[in-house]
Amino acid sequence: MSSTQLRANDPQIPSSADGSQGLPLLVLGALGVVYGDIGTSPLYAFREALHAAGSPSVSFARLEVLGLLSLIVWALTMVVTIKYVSFVLKADNKGEGGTLSLTALARESFRGRPVWILVLGVIGASLFIGDAIITPAISVLSAVEGLEVVAPTLAEWVVTITVAIILALFLVQRFGTERVASIFGPITALWFLALGVSGLVHIVEQPSVLAAVNPYYGVRFLVVHAEIAIPVLGAVFLAVTGAEALYVDLGHFGRKPIVVAWFAIVFPCLLLNYFGQGAYVLTNPVSEHPFFEMQADWTQLPMVILATAATVIASQAVISGAYSLIRQAMHLNLLPRFHVRHTSETQSGQIYMPQINTLLLICVVVLIISFRSSSALSAAYGIAVTGEMLITAALLFVVMRRIWQWSLLFALLVIIPLAIIDVGFFVANVAKFAHGGWVPVVIALSAAFLMQTWMAGRRLLISKTRADEIPLRTVIESLTKKQPLTVPGTAVFLTSDVEGAPTALLHSLKHYKVLHEKNVILSVVTSSSPFVADNDKIFYESFTPHFSRVIITFGYMETPNVPRALVLAKKLGWKFDIMSTSFFLSRRTLIPAAKGGMPFWQDRIFVALAQNASSATDYFRLPTGRVVELGIQTTI
């Protein structure tokens, strides 16, 4: 049996950051998307550090205030500036960042693609989901709490107003964020300007507060107050939550705009505001909400409104990040195919996932109603972020050694100090486990369990399917010798196994006893790279005049649009007409076995996940009028 193998030859790699946009526009966009989360930390980080150091009614001495400020300043410097800006942002996977991108990059450096790296990636992705649920709750709640300072009579309405804002935020997700995203950057830029100016006013009154730049004060605080060092570090860490967004959103803007925005705007404004809050506390030792209390009377209400807008933007960025992460997990076969709705005709990253949106909304509202204040919720914040940062450090070390080819000594000299800081913050946040830290842990464990169940169930299903399959070449040879009745048109049979004969083909021959004039065995695979060039996307193999095979490879950041990808096959000589083509799919009905490869209860969960997965027709963007689905029952 002869065979011809060809590939497309028109390279075209999608660009994550549009080169036609100027650097200032990209920097402005990065402010709204990348720095929204860390930009809202001044609302609660320094306040919680004060609370951790003692009762809010206690007057703090100058050295204690300087110590807390010094810890915050050096946390921002070491974690964000040195770790993420200087090193992590360079570990891009063809321009893309994030836990799963780093996982794919690290696994590719090993010939055997070790499982332990995948496990780290699954844990990191699960922790990000936990962070994505807590961030909207604590951010918006901390902003609305400003009403307690502006209008104390509205204090009892804070939770209700927060829930209303969250409901509105999640309800508008279905309409997409393309239109409102254009104002994210300017509003966030105004927010950072307000942070810097409001802090600078109080620094001028108490310039001695700038002495906190000296790390001596931070070290002294931890030594003198060793008994409260752990809770204080847990509160100080709140100042750097959101740092992981620098890496997650790398593909949207590129490294340069993110770095420029950090050094030119974000870092200076954050420092000015924290120093300003410290200066205010030195002048007004008894302060429960230093951020809002230090504002001039006429600016307090506008600042509450601006803070609320900034936290909504930060929440939107986290929600969009959760959608992107889950879509990546779907493409990498870590999760079932959830329904994805594209909300923009020009930006492929603008997506809406109804099932995920509803789940996130329920979790966020439950958190707000349960904890009722940002101070209480801050105890739940941190474990997920610090855990993800530890995993990032471990994977970064792999990249340093195996991809950047750094010597062991040099890699250790860089990673050990960063890991020590991450471990210190992780331990400090673990100490808050009983007071709410268990929340992100439970969320992350639940997400990781679902991923593990889906991967284990798919392996079991594939092994059972392959046991019943017949090799494709055997079927083709049999049909060549004894060809059934042939009808005009093209039949495309989708299969995940590139070697076996598609179940849909076998059932079609069994029941219809006819063969199409052209038969294409189509497999769709996902690459460990975020994007795949057109010259590598299509693999075409011709077996006989009646049979050929096409393998389409998509990157894990791409939308698997099969009809659009098949247009590339025309360059290989295959005459493809969508209107004379029928797509044959096998829809499996899974039945849990009494003694299957997984515990019976886990079988049920896998079956439920499979039943709620979106159809292959929707996932691969197939024309619904050209699809034929054949039902098959499989016991697992």
Side-chain angles (χ1 to χ4, degrees):
M1 180 173 59
S2 63
S3 117
T4 305
Q5 300 180 9
L6 297 170
R7 288 186 182 272
N9 56 11
D10 181 21
Q12 181 183 355
I13 300 177
S15 175
S16 57
D18 187 356
S20 63
Q21 296 186 43
L23 181 61
L25 287 178
L26 289 173
V27 169
L28 190 62
L31 287 178
V33 176
V34 178
Y35 293 110
D37 189 1
I38 198 171
T40 56
S41 296
L43 288 168
Y44 49 81
F46 186 62
R47 180 195 69 194
E48 293 307 313
L50 291 173
H51 290 187
S55 170
S57 61
V58 175
S59 297
F60 289 96
R62 176 176 177 274
L63 289 177
E64 276 61 45
V65 172
L66 293 180
L68 294 174
L69 283 176
S70 182
L71 290 172
I72 289 176
V73 169
W74 284 98
L76 287 169
T77 302
M78 295 298 295
V79 174
V80 185
T81 304
I82 294 181
K83 179 182 177 181
Y84 278 90
V85 174
S86 300
F87 295 107
V88 176
L89 286 183
K90 295 180 180 178
D92 65 289
N93 189 348
K94 296 185 178 179
E96 290 294 327
T99 302
L100 293 180
S101 289
L102 189 60
T103 300
L105 186 66
R107 286 192 84 197
E108 280 295 297
S109 65
F110 291 90
R111 179 173 296 179
R113 304 182 70 186
V115 176
W116 65 268
I117 294 183
L118 178 61
V119 171
L120 284 180
V122 168
I123 296 173
S126 303
L127 290 171
F128 180 84
I129 294 173
D131 178 31
I133 291 173
I134 297 177
T135 295
I138 190 173
S139 298
V140 178
L141 191 55
S142 63
V144 178
E145 283 174 345
L147 291 174
E148 297 175 354
V149 176
V150 177
T153 56
L154 296 177
E156 62 182 16
W157 291 94
V158 166
V159 172
T160 303
I161 294 173
T162 302
V163 170
I165 293 172
I166 290 295
L167 283 173
L169 174 63
F170 279 93
L171 288 176
V172 301
Q173 295 299 312
R174 69 183 64 217
F175 303 110
T177 59
E178 185 177 20
R179 295 179 179 177
V180 295
S182 60
I183 64 173
F184 280 7
I187 290 178
T188 310
L190 179 61
W191 168 249
F192 279 113
L193 180 62
L195 288 180
V197 171
S198 63
L200 183 60
V201 169
H202 293 278
I203 293 173
V204 171
E205 297 175 357
Q206 285 278 353
S208 63
V209 77
L210 295 175
V213 171
N214 189 340
Y216 160 78
Y217 292 100
V219 175
R220 176 195 172 278
F221 184 96
L222 296 178
V223 173
V224 174
H225 303 283
E227 71 281 1
I228 58 171
I230 293 297
V232 166
L233 284 176
V236 166
F237 180 76
L238 296 173
V240 299
T241 53
E244 69 281 357
L246 276 72
Y247 187 47
V248 171
D249 294 310
L250 178 62
H252 295 125
F253 301 97
R255 182 173 182 270
K256 187 174 181 179
I258 294 175
V259 172
V260 171
W262 174 253
F263 285 110
I265 302 172
V266 181
F267 195 30
C269 290
L270 288 177
L271 292 182
L272 286 174
N273 192 266
Y274 283 121
F275 281 129
Q277 291 190 51
Y280 177 79
V281 171
L282 288 177
T283 307
N284 304 271
V286 180
S287 175
E288 292 196 24
H289 294 281
F291 178 85
F292 288 109
E293 291 174 5
M294 76 176 186
Q295 311 299 329
D297 291 342
W298 65 272
T299 64
Q300 285 184 343
L301 182 57
M303 186 61 82
V304 170
I305 296 173
L306 183 58
T308 303
T311 55
V312 168
I313 292 172
S315 302
Q316 175 62 61
V318 172
I319 294 168
S320 299
Y323 291 162
S324 297
L325 177 87
I326 291 172
R327 184 174 67 165
Q328 289 181 33
M330 287 161 43
H331 293 173
L332 293 171
N333 293 320
L334 301 178
L335 285 172
R337 298 187 299 255
F338 294 106
H339 179 59
V340 178
R341 187 182 304 167
H342 291 263
T343 59
S344 172
E345 296 181 357
T346 58
Q347 299 293 327
S348 62
Q350 294 281 344
I351 59 175
Y352 168 65
M353 306 178 72
Q355 297 158 301
I356 302 303
N357 190 70
T358 301
L359 185 61
L360 290 177
L361 171 60
I362 294 172
C363 292
V364 172
V365 171
V366 168
L367 281 180
I368 294 171
I369 295 176
S370 301
F371 287 86
R372 303 190 68 81
S373 75
S374 60
S375 289
L377 197 53
S378 66
Y381 207 23
I383 291 183
V385 183
T386 52
E388 187 179 1
M389 287 182 174
L390 273 173
I391 290 173
T392 298
L395 295 176
L396 179 64
F397 179 72
V398 174
V399 171
M400 288 175 174
R401 290 282 294 132
R402 301 189 63 85
I403 297 180
W404 295 349
Q405 298 296 311
W406 286 11
S407 67
L408 178 61
L409 178 61
F410 187 45
L412 290 175
L413 287 175
V414 172
I415 209 69
I416 287 178
L418 299 178
I420 290 174
I421 294 172
D422 288 341
V423 170
F425 280 131
F426 181 74
V427 171
N429 281 281
V430 167
K432 301 187 292 184
F433 184 86
H435 301 286
W438 57 270
V439 173
V441 174
V442 169
I443 295 171
L445 287 176
S446 300
F449 170 73
L450 291 178
M451 292 186 193
Q452 188 276 333
T453 298
W454 182 252
M455 289 187 290
R458 283 191 77 255
R459 285 196 298 268
L460 184 63
L461 182 60
I462 289 173
S463 64
K464 286 184 173 293
T465 301
R466 285 180 176 172
D468 299 331
E469 282 185 348
I470 303 173
L472 177 61
R473 292 181 181 271
T474 301
V475 173
I476 294 176
E477 290 174 355
S478 174
L479 292 175
T480 301
K481 295 176 181 178
K482 187 178 180 181
Q483 185 173 325
L485 178 66
T486 302
V487 296
T490 300
V492 177
F493 296 92
L494 271 73
T495 177
S496 58
D497 186 359
V498 296
E499 298 297 333
T503 307
L505 170 62
L506 298 178
H507 278 253
S508 177
L509 290 170
K510 177 181 178 181
H511 295 287
Y512 302 141
K513 304 186 187 317
V514 295
L515 191 69
H516 282 74
E517 184 181 6
K518 301 289 184 181
N519 298 274
V520 179
I521 312 303
L522 175 64
S523 297
V524 178
V525 297
T526 302
S527 170
S528 58
S529 298
F531 299 100
V532 175
D534 283 356
N535 60 323
D536 295 322
K537 193 178 293 291
I538 300 293
F539 174 83
Y540 179 80
E541 185 176 16
S542 177
F543 298 118
T544 68
H546 293 289
F547 275 94
S548 58
R549 175 164 59 192
V550 174
I551 301 176
I552 306 177
T553 304
F554 292 103
Y556 62 81
M557 288 293 291
E558 295 182 90
T559 299
N561 190 321
V562 168
R564 184 177 299 172
L566 288 179
V567 173
L568 296 173
K570 290 185 176 181
K571 301 176 182 179
L572 307 178
W574 177 36
K575 295 180 180 180
F576 172 72
D577 181 11
I578 191 71
M579 298 311 297
S580 63
T581 300
S582 297
F583 294 88
F584 287 82
L585 289 75
S586 57
R587 175 178 286 272
R588 296 185 180 275
T589 300
L590 303 181
I591 303 174
K595 293 183 179 180
M598 294 188 296
F600 184 72
W601 57 271
Q602 196 173 17
D603 272 350
R604 291 296 184 107
I605 294 175
F606 175 71
V607 170
L609 289 173
Q611 289 175 343
N612 285 277
S614 64
S615 67
T617 302
D618 294 334
Y619 185 70
F620 293 121
R621 314 296 288 274
L622 301 177
T624 54
R626 309 301 307 173
V627 174
V628 178
E629 292 189 351
L630 300 175
I632 303 167
Q633 284 191 346
T634 303
T635 303
I636 61 169

